[in-house]
Amino acid sequence: MADFHVQPESVYAEESGVARFQCQIHGLPEPLISWEKDSRLVDTKDERYTLLPTGVLQITGVREEDSGKFCCVAHNSAGVKHSTEALLTVSGSQSSVYKEPMIVVGPENLTLTVHQTAILECVATGYPRPIVSWSRLDGRPIGVEGIQVLGTGNLMISDVGVQHSGVYVCAANKPGTRVRRTAQGRLVVQAPAKFVQAPQSIARPVGTTAIFTCQAQGEPEPQLTWLKNGQILEPGGHVKLRNNNRWKNTLLSTLM
């Protein structure tokens, strides 16, 4: 297992506010992440504590007793590693004083491949506590299949497909009003190229035209190239190339 390439950093938070710690490490197999506070395992059954699959630890409604030293722990079959410790310092605050909603951490731009899991963070503060909601910038519904909200407003999309690509908008709404703050991030889902229609072997008399059709799909859009006996076949002379659409290509060859 490699060393941590992102170490948690010390945080100052007001009472009733939000604290966030992050760590990142690579390894094979992929390490599992947990967190310790003052050398004791953090109890993520506490609804105020949210551990995201990315290794991020979020603490909402921060209290004085949350103060302490936090450490990220990575473990797999190769062993266990501890990050450096990060200190959470909680300062007193008049929690009943009105505060405008504010997004502390918004969604990042992500590029994933199909079947991976997308985690879009949204951490908001304010008093009264803002309500977090999600939408797509293009107005299309986010849907419900494979969609889960983690903690107080993080969006998780399991088994992503190209249909999930788009700009996602996180909104922190003041309850009972139209006051809100927004942040957005773009999700790009790539798919490997695959053939939808492959060319078929044919037999034609001399002097007639042989037609081969090839259709492929993928994201980004695949580029189609024709080969003859392992050599790239360029259009010209008795060979013509017809682009039916972005993914479909027809080769016409007059047999000499």
Side-chain angles (χ1 to χ4, degrees):
M1 197 186 317
D3 292 329
F4 285 91
H5 58 275
V6 174
Q7 297 274 6
E9 298 181 354
S10 294
V11 174
Y12 291 86
E14 291 185 347
E15 278 190 286
S16 302
V18 175
R20 177 183 182 273
F21 294 100
Q22 181 180 13
C23 70
Q24 289 182 8
I25 188 171
H26 292 310
L28 283 176
E30 188 72 21
L32 297 176
I33 299 296
S34 58
W35 286 85
E36 292 179 352
K37 174 180 176 287
D38 298 330
S39 301
R40 299 184 64 179
L41 187 65
V42 168
D43 182 13
T44 52
K45 292 181 181 178
D46 186 334
E47 293 183 352
R48 298 184 305 110
Y49 284 74
T50 302
L51 176 58
L52 300 181
T54 53
V56 169
L57 177 67
Q58 299 172 350
I59 309 172
T60 56
V62 170
R63 302 170 184 168
E64 178 63 35
E65 58 263 33
D66 294 321
S67 297
K69 296 178 180 179
F70 286 79
C71 175
C72 176
V73 183
H75 55 94
N76 64 9
S77 57
V80 178
K81 283 203 172 183
H82 291 73
S83 71
T84 56
E85 291 183 329
L87 183 64
L88 171 58
T89 303
V90 180
S91 60
S93 172
Q94 294 178 323
S95 59
S96 59
V97 175
Y98 171 74
K99 293 180 181 177
E100 288 280 336
M102 180 176 67
I103 295 178
V104 181
V105 179
E108 295 182 345
N109 295 332
L110 295 177
T111 299
L112 304 175
T113 55
V114 289
H115 306 307
Q116 288 187 305
T117 297
I119 303 292
L120 300 171
E121 275 194 84
C122 189
V123 181
T125 61
Y127 186 84
R129 179 181 292 181
I131 299 171
V132 174
S133 61
W134 286 90
S135 61
R136 287 179 57 117
L137 191 62
D138 58 11
R140 292 171 52 192
I142 292 179
V144 294
E145 186 174 353
I147 306 296
Q148 186 177 351
V149 176
L150 304 178
T152 58
N154 308 286
L155 189 67
M156 181 173 76
I157 308 175
S158 303
D159 193 24
V160 295
V162 292
Q163 73 275 13
H164 292 117
S165 291
V167 177
Y168 288 77
V169 181
C170 159
N173 308 273
K174 178 186 174 184
T177 73
R178 294 186 177 181
V179 177
R180 59 185 239 156
R181 297 292 182 270
T182 62
Q184 63 186 41
R186 180 180 296 276
L187 172 61
V188 176
V189 181
Q190 297 182 336
K194 65 177 182 179
F195 287 106
V196 178
Q197 181 180 359
Q200 302 294 316
S201 297
I202 56 175
R204 290 289 185 272
V206 174
T208 61
T209 299
I211 300 176
F212 297 94
T213 299
C214 176
Q215 186 174 2
Q217 291 180 346
E219 189 64 40
E221 178 184 323
Q223 300 295 316
L224 298 178
T225 303
W226 287 90
L227 305 177
K228 178 185 177 183
N229 297 329
Q231 301 296 317
I232 294 178
L233 190 60
E234 299 289 352
H238 65 283
V239 176
K240 296 181 180 179
L241 200 59
R242 179 189 301 160
N243 290 312
N244 303 74
N245 55 43
R246 290 190 300 169
W247 305 289
K248 192 171 183 178
N249 213 293
T250 301
L251 179 72
L252 298 92
S253 178
T254 303
L255 304 179
M256 307 299 289

